[in-house]
C-alpha cells in the first residue's frame, strides 16, 4: 500500500516534466525570434555578439510595414464589425426560435468551423476570382467572414439563452420593435458576450493565414501573409529583419490575446461554444 | 394587395408563427445566405468544375491524379506526417489533461498553451527555423552537452514539419481534451474510488469510456488540422520532396498552373480523405464503446 503513492507521484512528475519541456521549447522558440531580431551577428555563440535596433528600421522600410499594418487593421476591423452585424442577430434567432430545419442550419454553421480553411479555401478562392472579387481587400474580407460568422453565432447562442425572455416580452409590451429591442435592450445586456466573441474573431482573423493568402492581391496582404512571403523568400533579405517583422506580428497578435483573455477562458478559443 | 389576400395574411402569419417562423426567425437569413454563397456554393461549384477538365473526359483530372506518382504520393506523404502528429498529440494530451484538471490555477497554463494557437503556423515555422536551425539553441544544447558530435538537421525536412505540428497541435488537442475531461462528473470517479478501484482501474474503466466520444471528436479534429498542413510544410519542410503534402499540390495546380479544374479535383480528394478518416474514427468509437456511458452528467 505504500508503493502506490510513490508510483503516482512519479507519474505526476513525468507529466510535469513533459509539460515543462513543451513550455520551455515554446518560450525558447519565441525568445529565439526576439533575440535574433535585436542581434548584430549570431553564429557560434549562445547569444548574439551585439545588439541593435536597425533590423526594425530595415524591416519597417523594406517590407512596407506601415502599409501592411494599415491593410491589416482595415481588413480585420471590417471582418470583426461585419461578423458581429451578421452573426449576433442570427444567433438571436437560433437561440429564441424553434423553426423547421433548425438542425440543418446548425450543421451549416458548424461546417466552416470543422472543415480546415485550406480545403474549402481553394474552391472558394476560385469562385471569388471568377467573380472578380479576389485579389482585393473585399475578397480578403469576404473570405475571412466564412469562418467568423458561424463562430460568432455559436459563441453568442449560450449568452443569449441566459437572458430571461421576460425582459424582451416586457420591452415588446411597451411597444419596442425588433430593431429597438436590439439596440436598447439586448445589445446592452449582451455586451460582455459580444465583446468576447468579437475579440476572439479579432485574434483569429489577425492570424488567419490560409484564407487571406488565397484571396489577397499585392495591395491587400495582411501582416501574416506578408510574413509568409518574407520567410518564403528568405535569403533575399537578412534573417534578422524577417525576425523583426515576426516580432511586430507577435506583438500585434499577443496584445489582443491578452485583452481577450481578460474576458474569455482560454479553452473557449479552441472548444468554441458547447452544445 | 387584394382583399382576399389581406384576409388570408393574418391567418398565414399565425400559422407560420406557430411553427416558429416570424420576423425574429428571419434574422438568421443573412448568415445562412452568406454561408450558402461562400461555403456551400463554392464546394459544389468546385465539385462540378473538377469533372470539367481542361482536356479529356469527365474523370480526366482524377485519372491524372491517381496515375501520376508525383500527385498521388502526396496523400501518403501527408498521412505520414499527419497520423504520427495526431497520435502523439492525443496520447500526450490525455494524461496531461487528467493531471491539469486537478489543478486549481489552470488559467496560467492554458493561457501559455493558447499562445502558439494564436500565433499561427507561419510564425511557428519562422520561429522553429531560428530555434531548430544549425545555429539555433537546440543544436547548441545538443553539441555543447556532447549529446551529438555535430549539429543535427531538424529543419527543411520531415522532422521540422512534424515538430511544428506538435507545437501548434498539442495545445489545440490538449485544450479540447481538457474541456471534455472537466465535463465528466467527479462523483463518478469518487464512486469508483469508494468501491475500491485504484487510479489505473478508475482511468481505464470509468474515465476512458466516458471520455471516448469526446476523444474521438478531438482526434478527428486534430487529424483534419494536421492533414491540411500548408505553411509549415512549405517553409519548414522540403516542399519539393519529403514534405510535398496534398495542399501544396492543390495550391500549385491553382495558382502556379492556373488549372482550377485540377485544383478543385485535388481539393475534393483532400476533403474525401479527411471525411473517410473522420468517419472511420467515429465508427470505431461506436464499435468500441457502447451503452449509456456517453454523458457523465446524464
Amino acid at each position: 500500500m505504500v508503493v502506490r503513492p510513490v508510483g503516482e507521484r512519479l507519474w505526476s512528475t513525468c507529466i510535469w516534466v513533459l509539460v515543462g519541456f513543451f513550455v520551455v521549447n515554446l518560450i525558447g522558440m519565441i525568445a529565439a525570434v526576439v533575440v535574433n531580431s535585436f542581434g548584430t551577428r549570431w553564429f557560434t555563440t549562445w547569444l548574439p555578439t551585439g545588439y541593435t535596433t536597425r533590423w526594425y528600421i530595415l524591416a519597417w522600410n523594406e517590407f512596407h510595414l506601415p502599409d501592411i499594418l494599415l491593410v491589416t487593421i482595415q481588413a480585420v476591423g471590417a471582418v470583426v464589425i461585419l461578423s458581429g452585424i451578421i452573426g449576433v442577430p442570427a444567433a438571436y434567432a437560433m437561440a429564441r426560435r424553434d423553426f423547421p430545419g433548425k438542425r440543418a442550419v446548425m450543421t451549416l454553421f458548424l461546417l466552416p468551423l470543422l472543415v480546415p480553411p485550406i480545403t474549402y479555401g481553394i474552391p472558394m478562392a476560385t469562385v471569388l476570382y471568377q467573380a472578380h472579387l479576389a485579389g482585393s481587400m473585399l475578397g480578403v474580407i469576404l473570405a475571412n467572414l466564412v469562418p467568423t460568422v458561424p463562430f460568432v453565432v455559436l459563441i453568442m447562442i449560450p449568452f443569449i439563452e441566459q437572458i430571461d425572455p421576460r425582459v424582451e416580452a416586457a420591452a415588446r409590451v411597451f411597444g419596442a420593435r425588433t430593431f429597438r429591442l436590439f439596440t436598447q435592450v439586448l445589445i446592452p445586456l449582451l455586451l460582455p458576450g459580444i465583446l468576447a466573441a468579437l475579440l476572439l474573431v479579432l485574434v483569429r482573423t489577425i492570424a488567419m493565414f490560409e484564407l487571406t493568402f488565397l484571396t489577397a492581391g499585392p495591395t491587400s496582404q495582411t501582416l501574416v501573409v506578408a510574413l509568409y512571403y518574407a520567410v518564403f523568400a528568405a535569403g533575399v533579405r537578412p534573417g534578422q529583419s524577417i525576425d523583426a517583422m515576426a516580432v511586430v506580428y507577435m506583438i500585434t497578435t499577443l496584445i489582443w490575446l491578452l485583452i481577450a483573455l481578460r474576458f474569455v477562458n482560454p479553452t473557449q478559443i479552441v472548444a468554441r461554444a458547447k452544445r | 394587395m387584394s382583399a382576399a389576400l389581406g384576409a388570408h395574411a393574418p391567418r398565414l402569419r399565425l400559422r407560420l408563427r406557430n411553427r416558429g417562423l416570424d420576423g425574429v426567425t428571419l434574422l438568421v437569413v443573412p448568415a445562412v445566405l452568406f454561408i450558402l454563397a461562400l461555403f456551400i456554393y463554392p464546394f459544389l461549384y468546385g465539385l462540378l468544375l473538377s469533372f470539367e477538365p481542361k482536356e479529356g473526359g469527365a474523370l480526366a483530372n482524377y485519372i491524372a491524379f491517381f496515375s501520376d506518382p508525383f500527385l498521388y504520393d502526396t496523400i501518403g506523404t501527408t498521412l505520414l506526417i499527419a497520423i504520427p502528429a495526431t497520435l502523439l498529440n492525443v496520447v500526450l494530451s490525455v494524461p496531461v489533461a487528467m493531471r491539469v484538471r486537478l489543478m486549481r490555477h489552470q488559467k496560467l497554463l492554458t493561457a501559455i498553451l493558447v499562445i502558439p494557437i494564436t500565433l499561427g503556423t507561419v510564425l511557428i515555422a519562422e520561429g522553429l527555423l531560428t530555434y531548430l536551425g544549425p545555429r539555433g539553441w537546440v543544436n547548441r544544447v545538443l553539441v555543447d552537452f556532447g549529446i551529438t558530435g555535430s549539429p543535427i538537421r531538424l529543419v527543411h525536412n520531415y522532422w521540422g514539419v512534424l515538430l511544428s505540428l506538435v507545437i501548434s497541435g498539442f495545445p489545440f488537442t490538449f485544450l479540447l481534451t481538457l474541456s471534455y475531461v472537466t465535463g465528466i462528473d467527479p462523483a463518478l470517479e469518487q464512486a469508483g474510488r469508494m468501491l475500491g478501484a485504484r487510479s489505473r482501474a478508475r482511468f481505464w474503466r470509468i474515465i476512458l469510456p466516458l471520455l471516448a466520444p469526446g476523444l474521438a471528436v478531438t482526434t478527428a479534429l486534430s487529424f483534419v488540422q494536421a492533414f491540411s498542413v500548408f505553411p509549415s510544410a512549405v517553409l519548414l519542410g522540403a516542399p519539393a520532396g519529403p514534405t510535398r503534402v496534398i495542399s501544396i499540390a492543390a495550391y500549385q495546380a491553382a495558382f502556379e498552373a492556373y488549372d482550377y479544374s485540377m485544383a478543385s479535383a485535388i481539393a475534393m480528394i483532400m476533403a474525401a480523405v479527411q471525411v473517410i478518416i473522420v468517419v472511420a474514427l467515429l465508427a470505431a468509437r461506436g464499435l468500441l464503446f457502447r451503452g449509456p456511458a456517453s454523458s457523465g452528467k446524464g
Side-chain angles (χ1 to χ4, degrees):
Chain A
M1 288 307 277
V2 192
V3 185
R4 235 182 76 211
V6 176
E8 257 173 35
R9 219 174 296 156
L10 203 68
W11 175 240
S12 122
T13 312
C14 282
I15 287 169
W16 289 125
V17 167
L18 187 82
V19 172
F21 183 73
F22 185 88
V23 171
V24 163
N25 279 291
L26 176 66
I27 292 170
M29 180 193 87
I30 292 170
V33 172
V34 177
V35 170
N36 196 32
S37 74
F38 285 108
T40 46
R41 294 158 134 267
W42 189 7
F43 289 116
T44 52
T45 45
W46 281 90
L47 289 171
T49 43
Y51 294 93
T52 170
T53 51
R54 74 186 160 102
W55 305 117
Y56 284 85
I57 297 157
L58 192 72
W60 194 260
N61 299 323
E62 284 245 306
F63 293 118
H64 308 289
L65 270 186
D67 295 345
I68 292 171
L69 282 172
L70 188 68
V71 168
T72 310
I73 292 168
Q74 288 170 338
V76 172
V79 168
V80 166
I81 292 166
L82 286 174
S83 56
I85 291 175
I86 305 174
V88 175
Y92 181 69
M94 294 294 283
R96 283 288 186 248
R97 290 290 182 272
D98 234 345
F99 52 90
K102 191 177 169 182
R103 285 181 68 98
V105 172
M106 199 60 176
T107 314
L108 190 69
F109 287 143
L110 277 172
L111 275 177
L113 296 175
L114 301 180
V115 180
I118 198 96
T119 313
Y120 67 82
I122 286 177
M124 187 192 65
T126 311
V127 167
L128 284 176
Y129 271 105
Q130 288 191 335
H132 301 289
L133 289 169
S136 67
M137 180 80 94
L138 185 62
V140 171
I141 294 169
L142 285 175
N144 275 292
L145 281 172
V146 172
T148 55
V149 166
F151 185 78
V152 169
V153 173
L154 290 188
I155 293 239
M156 286 310 295
I157 288 175
F159 276 104
I160 295 168
E161 280 171 344
Q162 278 168 14
I163 291 182
D164 192 338
R166 282 175 298 184
V167 175
E168 292 154 49
R172 295 264 190 208
V173 166
F174 287 114
R177 299 206 159 227
T178 305
F179 182 75
R180 262 192 94 186
L181 181 72
F182 255 90
T183 52
Q184 300 200 344
V185 179
L186 285 174
I187 290 183
L189 280 173
L190 286 175
L191 209 56
I194 295 177
L195 202 64
L198 294 188
L199 275 170
L200 290 179
V201 166
L202 182 78
V203 171
R204 286 165 61 102
T205 310
I206 295 176
M208 172 47 80
F209 168 72
E210 284 90 347
L211 295 176
T212 315
F213 174 67
L214 291 173
T215 51
T219 55
S220 50
Q221 284 177 17
T222 62
L223 199 49
V224 68
V225 175
L227 179 65
Y228 172 86
Y229 282 118
V231 183
F232 188 72
V236 180
R237 296 186 183 84
Q240 293 97 321
S241 74
I242 299 172
D243 274 336
M245 189 170 168
V247 170
V248 173
Y249 166 76
M250 278 201 286
I251 292 170
T252 331
T253 319
L254 293 182
I255 284 177
W256 290 107
L257 177 69
L258 268 181
I259 297 172
L261 284 179
R262 294 186 65 88
F263 298 96
V264 296
N265 198 326
T267 39
Q268 262 184 303
I269 295 178
V270 175
R272 291 148 198 153
K274 274 190 195 148
R275 278 187 301 156
Chain B
M1 197 183 275
S2 71
L5 231 168
H8 279 285
R11 222 191 304 160
L12 180 70
R13 192 179 288 172
L14 205 67
R15 275 225 311 270
L16 285 175
R17 180 169 293 176
N18 284 339
R19 302 198 61 189
L21 288 167
D22 61 1
V24 170
T25 319
L26 292 181
L27 292 173
V28 84
V29 170
V32 168
L33 285 182
F34 182 78
I35 301 299
L36 284 177
L38 277 169
F39 184 81
I40 302 292
Y41 169 70
F43 226 92
L44 297 177
Y45 178 85
L47 188 64
L48 286 180
L49 190 66
S50 72
F51 292 112
E52 291 165 8
K54 276 186 168 171
E55 46 201 51
L59 288 172
N61 280 326
Y62 293 92
I63 294 168
F65 185 90
F66 285 106
S67 55
D68 182 359
F70 192 57
L71 288 173
Y72 70 71
D73 274 356
T74 56
I75 296 182
T77 305
T78 319
L79 287 176
L80 204 64
I81 296 170
I83 291 177
T86 311
L87 287 180
L88 197 65
N89 288 337
V90 173
V91 168
L92 292 181
S93 288
V94 175
V96 176
M98 290 294 298
R99 185 71 214 142
V100 169
R101 91 196 148 123
L102 306 172
M103 251 170 98
R104 217 165 277 155
H105 304 288
Q106 292 174 6
K107 204 171 173 182
L108 180 67
L109 182 66
T110 45
I112 291 174
L113 288 179
V114 136
I115 291 175
I117 303 176
T118 314
L119 291 177
T121 40
V122 177
L123 188 106
I124 291 175
E126 166 63 6
L128 288 183
L129 277 174
T130 313
Y131 183 60
L132 298 177
R135 296 186 278 118
W137 280 332
V138 168
N139 270 314
R140 189 132 301 280
V141 169
L142 291 177
V143 173
D144 282 13
F145 287 90
I147 301 165
T148 54
S150 56
I152 53 169
R153 203 183 146 107
L154 289 168
V155 292
H156 297 301
N157 62 10
Y158 174 84
W159 297 106
V161 182
L162 189 74
L163 288 174
S164 86
L165 284 180
V166 173
I167 291 260
S168 64
F170 172 72
F172 176 84
T173 320
F174 164 75
L175 290 175
L176 264 181
T177 314
L178 185 66
S179 74
Y180 284 113
V181 167
T182 47
I184 295 175
D185 191 346
L188 294 169
E189 210 193 339
Q190 286 290 325
R193 191 202 296 267
M194 288 218 296
L195 294 173
R198 295 192 173 183
S199 61
R200 186 174 296 181
R202 289 203 301 272
F203 174 75
W204 289 105
R205 307 279 291 272
I206 300 170
I207 303 282
L208 195 61
L210 288 171
L211 193 59
L215 212 53
V217 173
T218 308
T219 313
L221 282 178
S222 14
F223 169 77
V224 160
Q225 290 232 327
F227 192 79
S228 57
V229 55
F230 179 67
S232 57
V234 177
L235 302 177
L236 204 51
T243 70
R244 193 181 135 84
V245 293
I246 190 162
S247 52
I248 295 181
Y251 174 77
Q252 285 177 342
F255 297 100
E256 284 173 22
Y258 295 104
D259 186 348
Y260 290 118
S261 173
M262 186 66 189
S264 301
I266 301 177
M268 293 305 141
I269 293 168
M270 183 154 78
V273 175
Q274 289 169 353
V275 168
I276 290 169
I277 301 264
V278 167
V279 168
L281 269 172
L282 299 182
R285 172 192 74 176
L287 281 179
L288 285 175
F289 297 100
R290 278 194 203 142
S294 60
S295 162
K297 280 172 181 162

